[in-house]
Structures are given as structure tokens and as C-alpha cells.
Amino acid sequence: MARPLSRRSLLHAATAAVAVPALSQAPTGRAAAAPATAAADTPAARTVRPFGLEDVSLGQGVFADKRKLMLDHARGYDVNRLLQVFRANAGLSTGGAVAPGGWEGLDGEANGNLRGHYTGHFLTMLAQAYRGSKEQVFADRIGTMVGALTEVRAALRRDPAVLSAAGRFGAAADQVRGSHQYVDLPPAVLGGASAITLSVWVRPTHDANWTRVFDFGDDTSRYLYLAARNQAGVPRFAVTASGAGGEQGMNGTAALPLNQWSHLAVTIAGGTGTLYVNGTAVARNTAMSLTPAALGTLKNNWLGRSNYSADPVFAGAFEEFNVFARALTAAEITELQSHRAADASTGRGDLASYAFDETAGGTFADASGRGLTATLRRTWGGPSHPGFLAAYPETQFIDLESRTASDYTKVWAPYYTAHKILKGLLDAYTATDDDRALDLASAMCDWMYARLAKLPKETLQRMWGIFSSGEFGGIVEAVCDLHALTGKAEHLALARLFDLDRLIDACAANTDILDGLHANQHIPIFTGYVRLYDETGEERYLTSAKNFWDMVVPHRMYGIGGTSTQEFWKARDVIAGTIGAATAETCCAYNMLKLSRTLFFHEQDPKYMDYYERALFNQVLGSKQDKPDAEKPLVTYFIGLTPGHVRDYTPKQGTTCCEGTGMESATKYQDSVYFAQADGSALYVNLYSASTLTWAERGVTVTQTTRFPEEEGSTLTFGGGRASFTLRLRVPSWATAGFRVTVNGRAVSGTPEPGTYFDVSRSWRAGDTVRIAMPFRTRVEKALDDASLQTLFHGPVNLVARDAATEYLKAGLYRDAGLSGDLASSLTPVPGRPLHFTLAGAEWAPFAEGTEDPTHAYFRRAEPKVVFGGRDSGVANPAKPGGTTLLDEIWAGAPFPDKGALVGRVRSTVDAWVSGGLLSRADGDKVVATARAASYKS
């Protein structure tokens, strides 16, 4: 059956059929539910707007190749594995699915406290894949996930219900790992007996130590327990009235097998305790003086839960728990191996007897005749509050509110994880019109608002300032996006509750306080603040974001566009001093791209798109390995910039934040190729990438044909109807060798300047062809704190040396430099391999190639002698204290129109250095003479 039309679909249909008056306004002044098209969703404050992923298709090239690898992964990965942690948390059947592991599993880093985040990333990837490809498989997978999450939320709002499983004799009660569920028995269950037998069938599914089969006690001083595994991995029974030091215990001899039924029994009578495993007495204690009678009535009587709060909850199934007011004989214990208690000579336990054959509900009947009904409960209480949705309980959110210091083993960024889930749901709604996704997203924010709005401002400021635990990612941006859809005043108010005033105020005042901050905790905050500017008009949000961007670029940016070292920022302008094996966290590049494009919507400063090109064509492309994999997305976490570094595409334990953003990046490469002026009067071409734009509002298509960056230019061909607008072509800041534009074969007048946009205004019609030529130059960029440490570029392409050496390679580039200043003459192209060169005995290749070769992103510049046009002056190349050499200052004046201009530059520079005492006059004269005698390429 087809799903009913969504609210958005109905709105689309209504606006297409008739002209309607303005929608009634929500309290915030926004339409209550506007169609989520690119045009309709553009905030009024923005002067340009993006196109949807469905409006831009990728042509053949490196982006399409990398995307195909990720789309294959998206098609093949079992989404039920992602849903496993959500279903387990809600106490639902996981259908045997195995959680992804790593950060998305209970055994991952910090006890899996970030689980759920990766599922949000995956939803976003599927949504982007569907919008970009319209393949139904992606929509189907989104539907499966949204449907499951809807069921999860509903289950969290209810008391837990039994999961019935096949048992040893009949049905059994299954306790899924991660459900935090246990069975609560009435206080009278032990009956104050002076002799006792406790008998139970268990099927453990996890090997965690100290999980309790049962634990009867008041606290950690008086108790009686049976653990499936002690610290040695074997069963242990113990009883005490004076804490752990006073335990009278018995230990088994072998571990219980996982996923198999085992029978456990404990008898106590006459000062002797016996532990049985599968009918065999494996331990006996003849000095066991304590009995239930000695302990008295106990408050906590649990199956599957420990009185020690740090102990894990039992994962597995229970069947046939019986408590007898006497010690069964060995023969009777043996009989229970093949019979239910009801069918054995023992009969059912006279103190308590639970068959666990219920198939519904949350209680278990007692067949002993004492009416001691047991109840299924969650360790964290519950049900959860309305709207809550996560793969773990609300406990992390609760803990954060009183926390004063970071400890990610207890609280790991719960609002960060909430953001990933929220964003995934919003993207699912945008892509498929599934109102269930919007309902889940809206209710999540209602829940967050209800939780946060009651907290004092001082508490919120403390929370958001805590490293890691208080990290909230891009939640402000996502909540603002939701507010644009719902118009609910509470949603805008929620977004403002994440104001981190210390950070906003410092950056708004252009005070750099980034030293020592966790990079990726803060970058996405500012994208959210720009969205808050969109929604509120408050200038401090936009100003702080613009100033923040300038504190990162270029002051904390590596050549590939990445930032951070070991996830943190160091002092401003320290680049060489921060290079290590854990530089350039991939998430940082992802979030800097988002911030750059969002700022560009307000201020069309070409620097934002220059950065976007740098980071996209280098770090982001290079972070994705060039091979298929069904299990993993193959994306880096860190990109080490140390000499000989080999990229790790399966980082840490897996399902990390960077693999999540990497999945997103690889399915939205086309999102910033083109932008439109908000009034439709101009089209921005920001990136040169094979693609086709369908600009429905203007009735035109633009097809960009290019092999860029292998090709040093691009061709735009117009289709559709006639339309008048300005075509704004980005002139990259590196395009110093010229930028030539023709329309239908005729040169366009004007002088394009690097680092600007070049405008071509006309009435466009089908068949019009724009050709852009931008010859590449080879250049270096110097580390801000060490001029001799450099990285090599050919046009936009960062070139890395492939060499296993672990010391910086040394290379010189001035020896054959031409009048243009282009250093390409020092490189030797590798035949048949575009953008591959040899230099200094090594092969240099684009950083974007996702290989496992050892690479050198930086090298040590070595120009020991002053050489011009291959002619050696015999003079050592002197350097200033900061590392700038004589040749650096000479060639900084390039390009030179002719040889005379170069010689003039040599003479003036030599004179300055001689005057400064950095060069002798005799050596200076040799340098000038050599420059005059040399021959140069143009």
C-alpha cells in the first residue's frame, strides 16, 4: 500500500494547483510548514542559496569514482546492524543482528557511550545518496530505519516487555545485551529459609565478568549472589553479611559456554554449600554458615542485576528459576537436567517458581503457590520522557547536568550523538517526505527543550564548556533547520540554549582564544551560530563565526586544508611545530567546509570557496581509500603529516566520527559546485568539476565538461530555454598564470584577477558554450613558523612524495625556474600518469589519491647555492633568521615580464642584503653576474 501523502507533498500539490494567499504565520513569524525546496528554505538573510543534491548530477571523474565506492557501501551494509543498539536499548528484538562494534557498540571505546551517532551519519548518507541518485534502494533503507526508530521511541515510552525465546524445555525470557533489563522479584522470595536450593537455566550471550545470574541484597554489605563469571571467568556463588571481605563463596572450574544452555544450582544446608554446573558438583564449601535466614528480608532481589552498580547487567536468557526451602540431593539436581521442575520428582520450587514461558507483558507468574509475581524492569527506571530517542538511556544527559569535569567513560557527548540522530532524521525527511522522520526529529527537540529550558544559564554554560562530555556538534544548525520547518517558538528557543557565551563573545571581539581548544568540538558550533543569525538577525552570531574562520584559515591550517593536531589547536601560526602522526582530523575538514559555504551564503568573499576547493580536492578526497569494502567506509580519522606516514582507512575500533562524516562527504561532493543569487539574477560557478546543473527556476541546464584537475580548464554548455543572468566564474587565488574565458569561441573582455569572481552577463540560450582556461603553476606554501618546511602544489593539487623515509625529504626548486616564477620546470612528468611527477629522486602524486603508500606532505627546502637558469654562481644561498633565503626574496617578485626585470629584481634584492650585512659585496656581484648571464624559460 502506498504511504499517504505527507504534509510536504500536500503543500507541493496545493501550491502547484492554485495560487494561494500567504500561509498563516507561526508565533515566530515563519510559515508553520513551508515546502522544503531549496528556494523556499532559503533564509531571508542569505544573499545566495545552494542547489539541492537532486539538482546537480556528477559527471565522470574522481568525484564520481569516489562516490561510487561509497554508494556501493551504502547499498550493501545491513542497516539492521545499525539499528541493533537502538532496539536493544528499547528492549526490542534485534533479530540476531550484530552491532557494528567500535564506537557503535557496547564494547567500543568508553563503553560505547557514543553509540547511535554512526546511525545518524548513515541515515544522512542514505538521504544524500537518494537525492543524488534517485535509486529506490536508498529510500527503502531510509524507510526501514525510520520505521524501526519509530518503534524504538514507542518502546522506550512503555514499561519493558518480555522477549520470548526458545528455551531448554519450552519458552524462555531473553535479556538482550544493552537493554539494561533485569527481573525484579518480591522481597519474600527467599522466605528467610535456613536451608535452600536455587536452580536456574541460563544461556549467556556475553562474557563480561561479574554479571549476575541472581543477586539478593540490601546494598554492598548484605547479599547473596551467583555470578555467571567472576574475575577468572568462572561461575561464583557468594553470601555475606559484612561486604566483600566477609564473603563465603564457591567458584566453578570452567567458564559457561556462550549461546548454550547451562544449568546452575546452589544448595546450602547444615553449614555446607554446594555449587552445581550442569548436574555436576564443581565446588563445595563446608564452612558456609550464612543462610537467607541470617540475612533476613532483603530489599533488592534481582535476576540479572548486581547490587554493585558498576557490574554489567546479565545478557542472555533465563528459564526455570526455582527456589526450594531445602537442599536438593545430587540425584534431584541430576534429574533437573532433563526435566522441568514441574515434571521432576522435586516438583516446582516451594518458595518461588518461574517458568519464564510468558510471551507478552512485563511480568512473570510464580507457580510456587505464594503468588510472588516478578516484574521486568530497566536499571535506569523509565519509561523515558516523551520524545526521547537514543541508543542508550537518558542517564548520560542526566549526569552531564551536574558534571564539572570531563570523563567520557561516563558521559561522552550525549548532545553530539543527539545531533547526529536529529540530522539524519531531518535529512531523511527532506529526501523522502516521510512524516515519521519529521515527527521523530520534532519530538526529540521538544524533549531537549523540556530538559534544558529548566536549567539555570550558569549550568548550561558549564555543561557546554566541558571537553568531550559537553560537546554538542552541529545541533544548533539542525535545530534551526527544524525550526524552519515547524515554526515552533520552542525550537528556536532550544537552539539559543546552546549559546556558549565565552566563545561567542571572544570571537565576536576578534580575540583569539583557540589555543588548547578541541577543534572539532568547536567548528560546527559556528555553523550553527550562522544559522541562528539567519533565524534571529543577531549580528554577534555572524560576526563571531566570520572572525573564528579567520583564526583557523590560514593560521591553523595545513596545506591540504586540514586543521588540528591530536584533535586540538595549538598557538596561532604554529604549523611546523604541530606536525605529527595525528594531525588533520578528518571531521575538522568536513566541518570547515560546512562553515565556509554557510558564511559564503552571507558574504561572497572568494576566500571561502578558495578554502573549500583546497580542502575538498585534497584532504577530503584523499581521506577516502580508493577501493571497495562492504563492511567499512574506508575513511581516515587522522591524516598524519609526518614523513613517510601511511594513511589508516580503518581507524581506531571503527564506526568513528570521521568515518561518519566521511560517508556524508562522499555522497555530497556536488553540494557547492553551483550557487544562485537569492533573487535568481546570478549563477555562481564555485568549483570546476564535471557535473550538470538543472536550474528549474530559470528553466536552464548547465553541463560542465572537464577532467579537472587533470585538465587545466572546463567547458560549460547551456541547455533549456533562454534566460538572462550573470554567470560568476570563480578565479582561483592560485590561477596566476592566467584565466581566459570565451563564449561561443569569442574572448570575453575584462581582466580576471586571482581570488575574485569574473562576471559574464548575457541572455543565455541553449547551445551557448563557455570555455575557461586556467593554466596551472607549480608553487610552494611555507609553514608559517618555519619557512624551510614547505608543501608543494600544482594548481589546486597538493602533491605528496611517495617515499618510506621517516626524515623530511630535501628538494630544491629554483635551479631551473622560469621568468613566470613557475617551479614546474623542476618536476619531471611521469608518462601516462596525470599529475604524477618525479623530483629529488621520489615520485610525487596528488594527495587526493587514496592509497596506502608512505607519503611526505611536507619537505625540507634545500637551495644551498644561488643558481639561475641552471647556472651556479658559486655563492651559498644565505638565509634570514626566520628561514627566508635570498632566492626566496628574489623569486617572490615573479612573474617577470622579461629577463631585464628579473635581473633588476636580483640587483635590488642583493643590494638590500648587502646593506643588511647578510651578504658580502663580492658575493653579491657574483649573484648579479650569474643572473645576467643565465638563460630562462618563459
Side-chain angles (χ1 to χ4, degrees), residues 63 593 611-621 669 687:
F63 289 108
L593 291 185
Y611 172 81
Y612 201 100
E613 177 188 69
R614 174 195 293 268
L616 178 65
F617 276 78
N618 294 295
Q619 174 160 2
V620 173
L621 277 180
Y669 289 136
L687 301 172

Side-chain angles (χ1 to χ4, degrees), residues 228 350 566 665 768:
D350 54 336
Q566 293 182 321
S665 290
D768 281 347

Side-chain angles (χ1 to χ4, degrees), residues 310-326:
D311 289 340
V313 177
F314 177 81
F318 292 104
E319 186 181 10
E320 283 283 302
F321 178 63
N322 286 276
V323 185
F324 301 87
R326 64 185 180 89

Side-chain angles (χ1 to χ4, degrees), residues 823-849:
L823 303 176
S825 56
S826 297
L827 306 180
T828 303
V830 176
R833 304 197 70 188
L835 298 174
H836 283 239
F837 305 90
T838 56
L839 169 69
E843 180 179 354
W844 296 66
F847 185 95
E849 293 184 359

Side-chain angles (χ1 to χ4, degrees), residues 86 89-92 149 151-159 378 380 382-385 388-394:
F86 285 87
N89 182 52
L92 297 174
L149 292 175
E151 294 171 357
V152 164
R153 184 183 67 179
L156 288 170
R157 285 290 296 140
R158 301 190 299 263
D159 288 324
R378 298 183 177 105
W380 46 270
S384 64
H385 292 94
F388 176 73
L389 177 63
Y392 47 70
E394 291 183 67

Side-chain angles (χ1 to χ4, degrees), residues 90-109:
L92 297 174
S93 172
T94 62
V98 178
W103 287 10
E104 199 72 356
L106 288 165
D107 297 316
E109 189 170 347

Side-chain angles (χ1 to χ4, degrees), residues 623-710:
S623 68
K624 172 72 187 86
Q625 189 173 16
D626 296 332
K627 75 174 189 180
D629 193 287
E631 177 70 13
K632 295 181 178 297
L634 300 182
V635 177
T636 59
Y637 191 104
F638 295 120
I639 292 184
L641 300 177
T642 49
H645 178 79
V646 177
R647 291 174 216 169
D648 181 2
Y649 301 99
T650 55
K652 296 181 177 276
Q653 298 169 317
T655 61
T656 62
C657 55
C658 292
E659 289 163 284
T661 55
M663 293 189 299
E664 294 186 31
S665 290
T667 48
K668 66 180 183 74
Y669 289 136
Q670 73 269 40
D671 75 343
S672 297
V673 177
Y674 309 98
F675 293 153
Q677 201 75 27
D679 61 4
S681 63
L683 176 68
Y684 288 80
V685 180
N686 302 310
L687 301 172
Y688 299 100
S689 174
S691 55
T692 296
L693 166 68
T694 300
W695 192 3
E697 289 176 309
R698 301 308 308 270
V700 300
T701 62
V702 179
T703 299
Q704 186 174 173
T705 305
T706 182
R707 291 179 293 103
F708 190 92
E710 293 180 7

Side-chain angles (χ1 to χ4, degrees), residues 175 179-184 301-305 313 364 375-380:
Q175 305 288 76
S179 68
H180 307 277
Q181 292 181 175
Y182 66 99
V183 179
D184 188 17
N301 299 273
W302 297 329
L303 300 184
R305 182 181 180 184
V313 177
F364 303 99
T375 305
L376 190 63
R377 302 193 190 281
R378 298 183 177 105
T379 59
W380 46 270

